[in-house]
Amino acid sequence: MKWQVLKPTKANYYLPVEGNLGLVILAKSGKSEIIIDLDKEGKHALILGLVDSDQQDNLELIVTTIHNAPNTHAETMIYGLVRDRAQVQIKGLIQIKKQAQRVTDFLTERILLLSDQSRAIAEPELEIEADEVRASHAATVASIDKNERFYLMSRGVTGVQAEQLIVSGFINQVINRIDDVKIRQQVCLMLKK
Amino acid sequence: MPAFNTGKGLSESVVRTISRKKQEPEWLLAYRLKGLEIFLAKELPQWGADLKAINFDELTYYVDPAAKKSRQWADVPQEIKNTFDKIGIPEAEKKFLAGVESQYDSEMVYGSLKNDWADQGVIFCSMDEAVKLYPEMVKKYMNTVIPIGDNKFSALNSAVWSGGSFVYVPKGVRLEQPLQAYFRINTSQFGQFERTLIIAEEGSVVHYSEGCSAPQYSASSLHAAVVEIFVKSRARVQYTTVQNWYKNIYNLVTKRAWVETRGEMIWTDANLGSKVTMKYPSFVLAGEGARGETLSIAVANAGQHQDVGSKAIHLAPNTKSLIVSKSISLGGGRSSYRGLVQINKGAKGSYSKVICDALILDSRSRTDTYPKNRIWENDAKLEHEATVSKVGEEQLFYLMSRGLSEDQARAMVVNGFIEPVVKQLPMEFAVEMNRLIELQMEGSVG
């Protein structure tokens, strides 16, 4: 799998999948649309998105996966942190065209609202024209689970530390999917900045 | 016998004629004219199903009923009785079905209301009667939860509505049996625009159900209903629809409920017929602890587009919503789920869960999911999930090895798929649903 790290700076990206693709999207603010085109038979794509918005950030991220060829497979995970007064809008669209039989695609969007002024819009969409498919999406939007926080605090950490642990655990679910160590370290460094 | 109608096309004079014919008060005419103005000003929606084929100039907007109003079963026209029979309501059950109101063209022709309910102050009549008998109530609630200008088709309905039901359930009255209404379109190219208003006072319980069936025509027809429901504190309203319009009908319906403190609104909605359906039953959870639930089934067969879903608007703390949608696409049909969950700032402790499952039975069909989830409150939780799949070969093989034909096996899997929603329907609807699904599945081997 060939890994690529993308920090979107422009409005549109079009990525045809030549070999098997691993894509990491790191976004903070602004509007961008990323189209992943699976038009060659037998290709796989793993798309990992990490969004971390704070202050007055306004982020709109659209990730569209198009299956134009049969026997193509994709999985998308987009995890978002929304702090301060930020607003995050994440749209993930899976399109499976008529000729694209025997296709699987799964999309997960999870958004954590970390302040009482933060807002989120989650739009996971499906457009399916083939029948030999397995496709699903799931989205959740919530704040930090009070029970998880309480459990950690009962083990002796402060509230702030507990929240940090939960947030890093949340992010790690995505980062651990990067099977290339160098890329994983690079992403971790970029996240710390 | 030719019934009076306003002829083809829509204009201010058509609207005035309808209002005059019904001897309506001035304020209602003003509502109608406002509706017409907004309808003409608004563009067709740019999203959803393709509506360009509707020719508004070819439609007839009002037809006076040919049949006279009757309250005796014996007086009900044979044609309507046949419809009841086809849908399969057992004779014995009819007696239990609390009040039966059916719509013939745009007016109610048949109604019977159980006396003991009438004694409790329950009102179940046609909207036209309600305007005459309870004008204050109609004026107070009409066009409030769905404003005239909400969308192009609610505006059209506001301009030319006719028929529909008015239900008022007083404080604390609990109706055990569902109120029923049957709708059918029976004049070619005749658009039906019924208007329903349900008011459930504090602590009351009511279940209203409507089923639709329409005879066959050649020309396209339009059905644009508006249903407004008010669920007061601790009241519970369930609204059940089994929609099986003939496949040339555009079914563009606006349904919305306003739910107050600890009230509960449940939409059970099955869409099998029509050419195009655009329907998103909604609830505004306005009072603390209010609950809303939508359970829907859509079946899109050849030439059909079912663009259906639900909207949950959370305005108050600790409000809960659940949306379960099951869709089946076959024979080249298209079904789309389109929904909205909005959790406003201040709706602390609110929770919403949306489940959309789609079954696609052949390679000519299509299925879409377009949910929008807007969360403005961080002390709230939203969960959304959707799956698309086909009937598994192994499931079919197993059932066929037990002696079922492929059609039977497929129908059984499909009935199993929608079962979680079907079991929430009233008994007679559930039976009907299974029968209708089997009918749809006949010869659908993909």
Side-chain angles (χ1 to χ4, degrees):
Chain A
M1 187 167 277
K2 196 169 163 285
W3 284 93
Q4 194 179 336
V5 181
L6 177 68
K7 267 191 137 172
T9 48
K10 51 179 192 172
N12 292 294
Y13 290 87
Y14 173 76
L15 304 172
V17 180
E18 302 294 336
N20 290 338
L21 174 74
L23 177 68
V24 184
I25 304 163
L26 300 173
K28 189 177 181 308
S29 64
K31 181 180 172 171
S32 41
E33 179 171 12
I34 297 159
I35 297 171
I36 293 107
D37 189 354
L38 288 147
D39 61 352
K40 294 217 166 48
E41 206 171 335
K43 298 303 175 211
H44 290 248
L46 175 60
I47 299 129
L48 305 173
L50 285 166
V51 170
D52 191 345
S53 293
D54 59 4
Q55 296 171 42
Q56 307 268 351
D57 280 350
N58 198 331
L59 171 120
E60 192 178 341
L61 178 65
I62 305 170
V63 178
T64 304
T65 314
I66 308 173
H67 295 262
N68 272 313
N71 190 23
T72 48
H73 306 274
E75 188 183 346
T76 306
M77 285 172 90
I78 306 172
Y79 278 44
L81 299 171
V82 198
R83 308 171 199 266
D84 307 331
R85 299 173 63 88
Q87 180 181 315
V88 161
Q89 178 166 7
I90 299 174
K91 182 160 151 179
L93 170 63
I94 298 172
Q95 270 185 354
I96 302 179
K97 302 291 185 193
K98 224 163 217 33
Q99 67 276 15
Q101 294 289 4
R102 303 186 309 287
V103 160
T104 59
D105 198 328
F106 308 102
L107 168 90
T108 315
E109 275 180 31
R110 289 188 63 190
I111 301 174
L112 262 189
L113 297 175
L114 293 172
S115 93
D116 59 1
Q117 298 291 319
S118 57
R119 322 210 286 181
I121 305 173
E123 294 169 276
E125 299 187 346
L126 293 167
E127 286 181 351
I128 316 271
E129 292 175 62
D131 65 326
E132 291 270 343
V133 297
R134 274 185 179 280
S136 71
H137 65 219
T140 60
V141 181
S143 55
I144 284 181
D145 189 321
K146 289 188 188 78
N147 292 325
E148 288 177 21
R149 193 171 176 273
F150 176 78
Y151 173 82
L152 286 168
M153 287 175 74
S154 76
R155 290 291 178 279
V157 303
T158 66
V160 176
Q161 283 172 324
E163 283 178 17
Q164 279 168 352
L165 278 170
I166 291 166
V167 167
S168 67
F170 178 77
I171 293 297
N172 281 337
Q173 290 181 46
V174 181
I175 290 176
N176 289 341
R177 295 297 304 273
I178 307 173
D179 56 8
D180 183 316
V181 181
K182 274 190 188 142
I183 298 288
R184 192 158 64 213
Q185 283 168 343
Q186 185 195 338
V187 168
C188 288
L189 276 173
M190 286 168 90
L191 283 175
K192 277 195 189 116
K193 271 181 210 161
Chain B
M1 178 177 98
F4 168 80
N5 70 63
T6 52
K8 285 175 183 174
L10 183 59
S11 64
E12 191 180 321
S13 82
V14 168
V15 172
R16 285 185 185 276
T17 307
I18 296 171
S19 193
R20 197 169 48 241
K21 193 87 189 161
K22 292 173 176 290
Q23 300 171 329
E24 285 174 356
E26 201 57 39
W27 59 265
L28 199 51
L29 176 63
Y31 277 175
R32 285 185 184 275
L33 292 172
K34 183 85 192 147
L36 178 70
E37 188 189 319
I38 295 170
F39 169 72
L40 294 174
K42 267 195 197 289
E43 298 285 318
L44 280 174
Q46 295 298 303
W47 46 274
D50 185 7
L51 304 176
K52 287 185 200 74
I54 304 174
N55 187 344
F56 292 101
D57 299 328
E58 280 297 309
L59 295 168
T60 303
Y61 290 86
Y62 178 73
V63 178
D64 217 14
K68 276 192 183 133
K69 203 155 169 52
S70 61
R71 275 187 184 272
Q72 301 295 319
W73 179 249
D75 296 340
V76 172
Q78 192 56 40
E79 230 187 2
I80 290 187
K81 281 184 186 163
N82 290 346
T83 309
F84 280 112
D85 289 341
K86 272 181 205 154
I87 295 169
I89 306 275
E91 207 67 40
E93 239 165 62
K94 285 174 190 159
K95 287 175 195 157
F96 291 110
L97 296 175
V100 179
E101 293 271 341
S102 69
Q103 182 156 353
Y104 189 83
D105 284 353
S106 26
E107 304 276 350
M108 295 290 189
V109 285
Y110 171 78
S112 72
L113 191 63
K114 252 192 170 176
N115 287 335
D116 51 340
W117 287 356
D119 292 345
Q120 290 181 77
V122 175
I123 302 166
F124 181 29
C125 63
S126 77
M127 260 311 257
D128 298 292
E129 274 179 318
V131 169
K132 292 195 174 67
L133 299 171
Y134 318 100
E136 288 313 309
M137 231 173 337
V138 174
K139 198 175 173 183
K140 183 178 167 194
Y141 289 101
M142 194 178 182
N143 294 324
T144 56
V145 66
I146 302 175
I148 298 176
D150 187 79
N151 63 70
K152 189 172 174 75
F153 296 98
S154 70
L156 175 63
N157 178 286
S158 298
V160 298
W161 71 267
S162 168
S165 307
F166 176 83
V167 177
Y168 176 83
V169 188
K171 191 173 168 178
V173 174
R174 305 168 77 89
L175 301 183
E176 304 294 335
Q177 315 286 341
L179 298 174
Q180 289 222 352
Y182 279 82
F183 297 95
R184 56 201 297 273
I185 293 178
N186 121 320
T187 309
S188 173
Q189 280 191 315
F190 166 58
Q192 210 171 18
F193 307 98
E194 76 266 349
R195 183 90 194 192
T196 292
L197 188 57
I198 298 175
I199 302 150
E201 290 287 0
E202 233 179 280
S204 66
V205 176
V206 62
H207 182 170
Y208 180 89
S209 64
E210 59 170 1
C212 316
S213 74
Q216 210 164 320
Y217 320 114
S218 52
S220 283
S221 232
L222 172 66
H223 175 239
V226 167
V227 177
E228 291 179 284
I229 299 181
F230 296 84
V231 184
K232 299 291 177 69
S233 176
R234 296 190 323 284
R236 181 187 197 273
V237 176
Q238 182 171 357
Y239 192 107
T240 299
T241 307
V242 173
Q243 180 267 111
N244 193 19
W245 296 116
Y246 188 64
K247 285 182 188 171
N248 62 352
I249 285 172
Y250 285 86
N251 185 36
L252 311 167
V253 181
T254 313
K255 293 178 168 176
R256 197 171 301 155
W258 177 267
V259 192
E260 294 178 5
T261 309
R262 297 178 69 82
E264 191 175 16
M265 177 68 215
I266 296 160
W267 296 102
T268 34
D269 204 51
N271 296 290
L272 298 131
S274 82
K275 179 178 185 183
V276 167
T277 290
M278 286 174 77
K279 174 162 64 170
Y280 320 98
S282 318
F283 33 81
V284 182
L285 303 173
E288 182 158 1
R291 252 190 105 251
E293 203 171 305
T294 301
L295 306 164
S296 76
I297 299 169
V299 181
N301 211 325
Q304 289 183 287
H305 186 180
Q306 306 281 10
D307 197 293
V308 296
S310 185
K311 291 194 267 186
I313 318 289
H314 295 250
L315 301 181
N318 300 315
T319 47
K320 302 227 172 345
S321 64
L322 172 68
I323 298 169
V324 181
S325 158
K326 301 262 180 187
S327 77
I328 299 155
S329 309
L330 72 160
R334 177 178 176 191
S335 60
S336 309
Y337 171 83
R338 194 180 299 277
L340 171 72
V341 173
Q342 162 98 42
I343 301 182
N344 268 26
K345 187 84 210 141
K348 287 188 183 300
S350 291
Y351 175 67
S352 177
K353 188 174 174 97
V354 182
I355 303 168
C356 311
D357 292 327
L359 205 54
I360 185 161
L361 296 183
D362 56 63
S363 60
R364 289 171 299 155
S365 307
R366 171 172 178 170
T367 179
D368 315 286
T369 314
Y370 302 109
K372 195 174 186 113
N373 305 295
R374 276 201 295 245
I375 317 301
W376 289 174
E377 168 59 53
N378 88 312
D379 183 12
K381 191 169 181 184
L382 162 97
E383 291 178 46
H384 174 104
E385 59 186 71
T387 61
V388 177
S389 53
K390 62 176 296 190
V391 175
E393 293 295 328
E394 39 332 340
Q395 290 170 319
L396 287 183
F397 179 78
Y398 174 82
L399 290 169
M400 285 165 74
S401 76
R402 289 289 178 278
L404 295 182
S405 73
E406 185 166 349
D407 273 1
Q408 286 171 325
R410 208 175 284 268
M412 186 174 272
V413 174
V414 172
N415 271 325
F417 170 77
I418 58 169
E419 204 254 327
V421 175
V422 169
K423 73 179 179 204
Q424 301 294 326
L425 295 174
M427 182 61 174
E428 65 275 11
F429 278 89
V431 171
E432 210 177 298
M433 271 308 297
N434 285 337
R435 220 174 279 163
L436 288 166
I437 291 284
E438 271 156 28
L439 223 69
Q440 293 264 354
M441 299 296 301
E442 269 171 24
S444 73
V445 180

